Amino acid sequence: MSEVEIKENVNRLNKLYNNFLKGMNVYYSIIPDKNYFMQDGLYPVMEYDTLVDIMCENMTYAEYIDVFSELKLSDYYKTDTHWRQENILPVVEKLGQTMGSYVKE
């Protein structure tokens, strides 16, 4: 993880906000990959705490929605690092609740 690259990307998001979204409610979330939950030393794990800190410090106009607690290792495929779509509902509910929208079953 490169803090410089993260800050460059945040600057791009800030430009988008200033040019097109100023005054609107803006939200964002960071979705951890499977390795975050494994942390077995075999695979590199991104420094998510640092990523969240940089984003929160530099995107004060947007509300961060923390979904880390809504996910677990079993929400990812066993054979690769992708998130299983059938396990998306808890995250969708958290996002919706924070943004004032609710999922109808």
Side-chain angles (χ1 to χ4, degrees):
M1 180 181 82
S2 166
E3 290 187 32
V4 170
E5 288 179 11
I6 292 169
K7 288 179 180 178
E8 286 174 0
N9 285 317
V10 168
N11 285 336
R12 289 182 187 103
L13 292 171
N14 292 342
K15 286 179 185 177
L16 283 172
Y17 173 78
N18 287 324
N19 289 333
F20 303 107
L21 304 171
K22 198 162 196 115
M24 298 178 77
N25 293 330
V26 178
Y27 304 88
Y28 70 97
S29 191
I30 296 169
I31 308 298
D33 68 6
K34 181 180 179 179
N35 294 337
Y36 173 81
F37 298 99
M38 293 176 62
Q39 298 194 13
D40 56 9
L42 298 174
Y43 301 97
V45 178
M46 182 186 288
E47 298 172 27
Y48 283 101
D49 291 338
T50 302
L51 174 60
V52 170
D53 289 345
I54 292 170
M55 299 287 287
C56 288
E57 288 172 13
N58 294 284
M59 293 179 59
T60 57
Y61 55 85
E63 183 176 346
Y64 170 62
I65 304 172
D66 185 351
V67 297
F68 281 71
S69 63
E70 309 305 318
L71 293 165
K72 55 193 175 300
L73 182 58
S74 62
D75 291 328
Y76 296 81
Y77 290 106
K78 289 183 182 182
T79 57
D80 62 45
T81 61
H82 294 94
W83 185 14
R84 294 172 38 193
Q85 293 297 307
E86 64 270 19
N87 293 351
I88 199 171
L89 192 55
V91 173
V92 170
E93 288 173 342
K94 173 85 178 255
L95 295 171
Q97 179 182 14
T98 303
M99 294 187 287
S101 179
Y102 298 94
V103 177
K104 294 180 183 178
E105 292 186 32

